[in-house]
Amino acid sequence: MRILITGGAGFLGSHLCERLLNEGHDVLCMDNFFTGRKANIAHLLPNPNFELFRHDVIDPFKAEVDRIYNLACPASPPHYQYNAIKTIKTSVMGAINVLGLAKRTRARVFQASTSEVYGDPEVHPQPESYWGHVNPIGIRSCYDEGKRVAETLFFDYHRQNGVDIRVVRIFNTYGPRMLPDDGRVVSNFIVQALRGQNITIYGDGSQTRSFCYVDDLIEGFVRLMETPNITGPVNIGNPGEFTMLQLAEKVVKKVGGASKITFHPLPSDDPRQRQPDITLAKSQLGWEPKVSLDEGLDHTIEYFKKVVKG
């Protein structure tokens, strides 16, 4: 198939490009390089089935494709808060553009949504049926509400125009090719430990997250895209739940060195708990994560050792 991936030079996008090329597809990678990096896909450029073009998903574009994976959007708080208006435009106008293309070409289109649609949840773990508890005017709202509107658009195009859609809700994911400065907790802790800096925990460290290794996530993406008669949304994430303190202690132990753990005030609207209910993914896709946090951290630490200077 001919497959378009928006945000294809990003952390997740580059892994997806690699996976689909290995399966023999033609891959069209689109990125504006705000958080994507040419280094992430440089090794793919010699492949005759790979095509890269610099373009912003906010602006209209044309392509003849069979599948569209819409991954374009900065996903870490420092990056999506850097230009909040641009972030919400990326989610909303980007969704309109990929859905218009899917309608015209009859392509199946996939939306990378997020567990942030659940906000600071009052239901734990979070099933897809939970509508969320989201602040619409906070500093995280450009991302949370942008992704919620994108889901609305996907389902309206599906109901009104018969567009073939797939919607995934991604929970915390980590692995090689994360940006060192992306502000996410796994990369933060690893980079600080490698540099011998103190490990920064916001709050008392009791808030929880669930960490999915990137290879597991990409497997979930492909299964959802190619499973017939399911639109989603489907949670894809690792239901293993860890506190920030547990994660920090694991990283310090694995990296070694003299880093101490320090505590700072919790940012606004930071969720206290985050854990996916993956019952649907198990029953409909036959998917569940295979890589343990210990194994995934080992791979990720090895990657960051090559890109981080002490």
Side-chain angles (χ1 to χ4, degrees):
M1 287 184 289
R2 185 160 165 78
I3 302 175
L4 169 65
I5 304 173
T6 70
F11 162 45
L12 299 180
S14 62
H15 285 277
L16 181 60
C17 286
E18 207 167 54
R19 165 69 184 263
L20 295 173
L21 284 169
N22 287 340
E23 291 182 356
H25 301 293
D26 283 340
V27 173
L28 187 57
C29 170
M30 188 174 107
D31 209 296
N32 70 347
F33 294 103
F34 174 57
T35 56
R37 292 290 179 269
K38 285 183 182 173
N40 289 341
I41 42 88
H43 63 297
L44 305 177
L45 291 171
N47 189 321
N49 296 330
F50 182 72
E51 191 177 338
L52 169 67
F53 74 112
R54 181 190 286 265
H55 187 84
D56 196 316
V57 75
I58 287 173
D59 300 317
F61 52 91
K62 290 183 178 178
E64 299 303 318
V65 291
D66 306 297
R67 297 282 189 270
I68 306 164
Y69 285 88
N70 185 34
L71 274 57
C73 191
S76 71
H79 292 150
Y80 67 64
Q81 290 168 15
Y82 174 78
N83 186 338
I85 294 166
K86 172 80 170 173
T87 295
I88 198 162
K89 278 183 173 180
T90 300
S91 284
V92 176
M93 295 167 70
I96 291 168
N97 285 333
V98 297
L99 286 160
L101 179 63
K103 178 184 172 185
R104 188 169 64 253
T105 60
R106 300 185 184 279
R108 183 176 294 169
V109 60
F110 175 105
Q111 169 64 8
S113 192
T114 172
S115 61
E116 298 299 328
V117 301
Y118 300 124
D120 192 3
E122 295 169 318
V123 172
H124 191 75
Q126 294 82 57
E128 291 87 352
S129 57
Y130 177 52
W131 288 357
H133 176 230
V134 178
N135 176 3
I137 57 170
I139 59 170
R140 300 170 71 104
S141 307
C142 59
Y143 184 69
D144 302 1
E145 296 288 38
K147 289 290 192 178
R148 285 164 69 96
V149 173
E151 287 195 14
T152 303
L153 284 161
F154 265 70
F155 279 89
D156 284 340
Y157 266 79
H158 173 64
R159 285 185 288 257
Q160 196 164 320
N161 298 313
V163 173
D164 188 5
I165 65 166
R166 300 290 186 273
V167 176
V168 68
R169 288 177 179 161
I170 302 168
F171 283 70
N172 288 54
T173 304
Y174 68 100
R177 299 188 203 137
M178 294 180 84
L179 293 172
D181 63 346
D182 70 1
R184 298 186 217 200
V185 65
V186 172
S187 49
N188 273 3
F189 288 177
I190 292 173
V191 169
Q192 287 172 335
L194 287 171
R195 288 176 173 160
Q197 299 167 343
N198 288 334
I199 306 294
T200 305
I201 286 184
Y202 295 99
D204 60 8
S206 65
Q207 67 270 42
T208 67
R209 294 291 184 274
S210 307
F211 301 103
C212 185
Y213 188 65
V214 62
D215 290 358
D216 283 334
L217 187 85
I218 298 303
E219 175 66 26
F221 279 13
V222 174
R223 286 198 192 195
L224 175 58
M225 180 63 111
E226 298 309 326
T227 298
N229 305 316
I230 180 170
T231 58
V234 176
N235 289 337
I236 297 290
N238 193 320
E241 190 179 15
F242 295 87
T243 67
M244 296 297 94
L245 195 54
Q246 286 173 319
L247 178 68
E249 288 167 348
K250 270 185 184 292
V251 169
V252 170
K253 187 174 178 184
K254 285 177 179 294
V255 172
S259 295
K260 302 280 193 296
I261 294 172
T262 60
F263 297 89
H264 301 264
L266 201 63
S268 174
D269 297 329
D270 194 58
R272 297 290 308 170
Q273 293 178 302
R274 185 71 86 230
Q275 183 189 19
D277 179 332
I278 61 167
T279 306
L280 191 63
K282 282 182 175 178
S283 64
Q284 299 295 309
L285 310 179
W287 178 90
E288 60 184 313
K290 300 282 193 286
V291 180
S292 70
L293 182 59
D294 279 301
E295 183 187 344
L297 283 175
D298 288 340
H299 294 315
T300 310
I301 288 166
E302 282 309 305
Y303 168 77
F304 275 115
K305 280 180 180 175
K306 296 170 192 162
V307 298
V308 173
K309 302 290 184 283

